[in-house]
Every structure is written in C-alpha cells, then in structure tokens.
Amino acid sequence: MYDTVLQWVTDEYGIQGRPVVRPFKPGGDYQHEEYPDGCVVIDNPPFSILSKICRWYLEHDIDFFLFAPYLTNFSADIPVNHIVTDTAITYENGAKVKTAFLTTLGDDFIRTAPGLSQAINAVQDAHKPTPLPSYQYPDEVLTVSRVGQLDHYGIDLRVSRSEVARISRLDSQKTAGKSIFGNGFLMSHALQARYTKAAKAAEAAKAAKAAKAAKAANDYVWELSPREHDIIDTLNKTHD
C-alpha cells in the first residue's frame, strides 16, 4: 500500500530525486529524525496528533504527504492541501479506516485523486481473502434463514408437519460433498405459494424500511444565514 501511494506521489508531483523520509516507525520520534535538504515526508502518522505534526513540519519548512482521516480532513485550520480519496484502507492492526491525505505539495487546496483511489483499491482487492461461496437453493427448499428473514420483517408464516419433508442435502450436492447447513425442508406446492407471497411481503417491508430510514436521515435541511450569504457574495466578487 505504501509503495502504491509513494509511486503516485512521485509521478503526480515530480519529486523524483528528492529524498523520501518515513519517520513514523514504531518507537520513532519525528521531531528528532534526520531530514535531508529537499526531502519529502511520505508516511502514515498517528491520526490523534496529525494537526500538531503538520504544524511542526510547516514551521520547519519540510514538505509532506501524509495519510489522514477522511471525515475530519477539513478540520485542521492550517495551510495545507487536501487530497480527498474515497478509499478505505485496512491497516496492520486490522482497522479499516476511510482515508484521505494532507500535503504541502501541489497548488490545489482541495482536489480529488481518482488515479490514487483506483491504485489503492486495486491493492486492497488483491489482498482480500477468497470469499466463501454463496449457495442458492431452489424455491422449493425452506431453510431456517429464509424463515428468519420473514420474521425479521414482521411476516407471519405457519407450517404444518404434513406440508414439508426434512432433508439434510439435495441429491445434486452429494457429488460435491456438500449439505444444507442446519438441514432444511422440501415444501409442498401449496406451502411454496404461501412462502413466495410471504417473501414478496418481506421484500416490500424491507424497501419501506429503507425508504423510511432515508427520509428520516434527510428530514432536516440546514439553511444559510444572511452572514454566510454575504461571505459567498464576497467570494463571487473575487472570482467574477
């Protein structure tokens, strides 16, 4: 991951030949690190003191390109540039954190970096564990997960013993050495019709719940004050 970011920064900002320093190693002390003339710090610092680190580098006229938290990327009121990438990086401690960057390089105060995002995501994808297979069962098979999904969305389904036949595996699973985890049941056509109707009701309830949550999340719309409109008018005059 670091090499990917380093390569992008080198190509994007033309820093070939400039010394690159990584002071944030375990037990390191960035304030007592050796910084050669013309160097660039490219590293993943502790996020808890990121503003302090940036200020120290600015005071000592040292260029940097630092990993930074995504959601608080605009928080520090310091003269740095903001590289906003829509990426989630899994760090060595296992934490998966949405990450952007702060830098003194370049002239853009705020910018996106799709090429960097794509390179980071490619590295992440290459190191993902192989996903477990997802088994899809025929509509005639009733599993506990299918019943539980109905209950989750408040759908009432009742089944009599005579409507089902217990199975531990389908015949098609035998040659693959697979089985239905937790067993399941074959359904009569009448039960299958009731289940299908119930499943459609569950899907409708799921969609309604999602729509309600989305509406609740957007119920309050913040408005600009007259003072803020005045600020925008000033910005407009500056760039007219």
Side-chain angles (χ1 to χ4, degrees):
M1 180 62 68
Y2 176 81
D3 290 343
T4 297
V5 174
L6 174 61
Q7 188 62 58
W8 184 88
V9 174
T10 300
D11 295 341
E12 184 72 15
Y13 296 109
I15 63 168
Q16 294 89 345
R18 295 179 63 177
V20 173
V21 181
R22 292 192 69 180
F24 298 102
K25 49 189 175 293
D29 182 352
Y30 74 96
Q31 293 184 350
H32 293 91
E33 184 79 20
E34 287 190 19
Y35 295 100
D37 290 342
C39 72
V40 182
V41 175
I42 303 177
D43 209 351
N44 174 39
F47 291 169
S48 59
I49 56 170
L50 183 55
S51 294
K52 176 183 176 182
I53 291 168
C54 289
R55 289 191 177 93
W56 191 88
Y57 283 136
L58 290 168
E59 290 170 2
H60 291 80
D61 198 26
I62 298 171
D63 278 331
F64 57 82
F65 190 96
L66 300 176
F67 291 60
Y70 176 87
L71 288 177
T72 57
N73 195 268
F74 291 173
S75 297
D77 186 15
I78 50 180
V80 296
N81 299 329
H82 306 268
I83 312 297
V84 181
T85 54
D86 186 22
T87 54
I89 294 177
T90 302
Y91 292 88
E92 286 187 356
N93 62 1
K96 188 173 184 179
V97 182
K98 288 204 74 173
T99 303
F101 302 88
L102 296 176
T103 185
T104 54
L105 301 174
D107 299 320
D108 300 303
F109 179 51
I110 301 170
R111 62 162 290 187
T112 60
L116 178 56
S117 294
Q118 292 164 10
I120 289 173
N121 290 335
V123 173
Q124 296 277 101
D125 291 343
H127 289 82
K128 281 182 179 178
T130 302
L132 294 174
S134 175
Y135 297 119
Q136 301 296 324
Y137 291 104
D139 294 340
E140 295 85 355
V141 175
L142 189 65
T143 64
V144 70
S145 297
R146 286 179 168 177
V147 179
Q149 188 78 348
L150 299 182
D151 183 79
H152 180 78
Y153 290 105
I155 308 302
D156 191 5
L157 178 72
R158 304 183 187 213
V159 180
S160 66
R161 289 180 183 272
S162 61
E163 293 180 293
V164 294
R166 183 186 299 276
I167 53 171
S168 61
R169 67 172 65 179
L170 297 174
D171 289 343
S172 59
Q173 291 182 300
K174 291 179 181 178
T175 56
K178 301 297 182 181
S179 61
I180 300 173
F181 186 80
N183 291 358
F185 295 92
L186 292 175
M187 293 186 279
S188 68
H189 284 167
L191 173 57
Q192 184 187 344
R194 296 204 325 271
Y195 169 78
T196 299
K197 182 178 179 180
K200 288 180 179 178
E203 283 298 318
K206 181 180 179 180
K209 183 177 180 180
K212 183 177 180 181
K215 183 178 183 299
N218 292 288
D219 273 347
Y220 197 94
V221 179
W222 298 103
E223 302 288 347
L224 292 176
S225 69
R227 180 186 70 84
E228 290 158 340
H229 279 293
D230 288 342
I231 293 173
I232 293 171
D233 288 341
T234 301
L235 292 173
N236 290 337
K237 291 173 184 177
T238 302
H239 291 276
D240 280 344

